[in-house]
Amino acid sequence: MPRLGVNIDHIATLRQVRGGREPDPVWAAALAELAGADGITIHLREDRRHIQDRDLRLLRETVRTRLNLEMSVEPAIVTLAIQARPDQVTLVPERRAELTTEGGLDVIGQHARVAEAMARLRDAGLEVSLFIDPDPKQVEASCALGAQAVELHTGRYADASHAADQARELEALVLAGQTAVAGGVALHAGHGLNYTNVGAVARIPRMAELNIGHSIVSRAVLMGLECAVRDMKACIQNATIGLAR
Ligand code: PXP
């Protein structure tokens, strides 16, 4: 069975909306681990739009499973990763204007930059995974660079609105997965996976890790809302017991 890495960036996004202290991604990580998460995934973006340096520092201390740090190949971020020593680094492309990571890393087109970041990370003894589109050529280039894993971008599969398109995208994931296994790297996948589309990806042979965030946090918000409203009603009720109206 593949490991589940829970991406908690969206908890940090909600905190950043108010610039305060809650909800704290460090607490979220502990709850996810107590619920059975096999790892915690965070993306320290150059613009720090959600996860902050403080989160990385504290999560490195508190995560008991595996801490997977997604990041760009920028030298300054690579330096932070080397200092923080996550259990795994996943290199992703990053554009400031994007809403989320929109495509995979172009390991072929960006070969020199990726190789330089990887060399520094590997010299520091860190495990490196490359987040790429399900394209056998990108997989082969990742293997040749000495990555320990590739994470296949499942966005096109997740976004497919017709069954035939989804089947074609799944086939691309399966083929890219075979190339990864043949190349001797671990197989991971993620992006856009939810409670209805995860099954077929989990069944891809030798799938070792799935990183999932948005659908889990979305469900948590709705599943937890009833309890949160009840708790607030109770606070108001307790505070006003005995007051004349
Ligand atoms: N894996 C990678 C490399 C990502 O960049 C993301 C999004 O931050 C995810 C997995 C999780 O995607 P989602 O939030 O759509 O589940």
Side-chain angles (χ1 to χ4, degrees):
M1 178 176 132
R3 295 191 295 263
L4 170 62
V6 176
N7 182 316
I8 55 170
D9 293 347
H10 294 295
I11 304 287
T13 299
L14 192 53
R15 175 192 59 191
Q16 295 310 108
V17 169
R18 286 282 170 101
R21 294 173 63 181
E22 63 179 21
D24 192 331
V26 177
W27 290 23
L31 287 169
E33 287 189 311
L34 288 171
D38 302 297
I40 299 297
T41 293
I42 53 172
H43 184 170
L44 185 70
R45 295 187 74 106
E46 288 165 47
D47 63 10
R48 303 298 197 276
R49 70 171 70 158
H50 40 53
I51 293 294
Q52 305 295 307
D53 298 56
R54 164 265 186 204
D55 302 327
L56 172 59
R57 199 173 59 248
L58 292 181
L59 287 165
R60 178 55 300 182
E61 274 187 42
T62 57
V63 166
R64 306 274 179 92
T65 54
R66 277 168 62 83
L67 181 64
N68 174 30
L69 177 63
E70 295 175 4
M71 50 177 250
S72 74
V73 297
E74 270 305 305
I77 296 277
V78 172
T79 300
L80 285 179
I82 289 170
Q83 286 162 358
R85 305 204 62 77
D87 298 290
Q88 174 174 280
V89 165
T90 301
L91 293 178
V92 303
E94 200 174 296
R95 284 196 302 113
R96 286 188 185 231
E98 69 190 357
L99 289 178
T100 178
T101 316
E102 284 163 3
L105 194 63
D106 182 2
V107 179
I108 300 167
Q110 299 276 311
H111 189 271
R113 295 185 75 214
V114 178
E116 190 188 321
M118 276 193 66
R120 289 183 64 201
L121 294 163
R122 298 294 305 276
D123 282 353
L126 296 177
E127 264 183 45
V128 183
S129 172
L130 300 178
F131 184 53
I132 54 173
D133 287 329
D135 168 356
K137 288 201 168 54
Q138 293 287 347
V139 177
E140 280 162 7
S142 304
C143 298
L145 266 180
Q148 268 115 346
V150 290
E151 179 173 335
L152 300 180
H153 195 309
T154 49
R156 279 208 305 267
Y157 160 78
D159 289 344
S161 42
H162 299 291
D165 295 337
Q166 198 181 42
R168 194 189 58 238
E169 297 301 339
L170 182 61
E171 189 53 26
L173 290 165
V174 170
L175 286 176
Q178 285 169 355
T179 311
V181 171
V185 299
L187 179 61
H188 303 168
H191 210 283
L193 296 178
N194 61 33
Y195 294 82
T196 51
N197 66 20
V198 71
V201 177
R203 283 193 295 275
I204 292 176
R206 306 278 290 275
M207 184 56 71
E209 179 177 304
L210 298 174
N211 287 300
I212 308 181
H214 192 262
S215 62
I216 293 176
V217 174
S218 301
R219 191 177 180 97
V221 168
L222 292 186
M223 301 286 283
L225 194 59
E226 188 178 335
C227 176
V229 171
R230 281 188 207 290
D231 288 352
M232 185 55 79
K233 281 290 277 192
C235 282
I236 295 168
Q237 203 174 23
N238 290 342
T240 53
I241 285 170
L243 283 186
R245 280 274 173 248

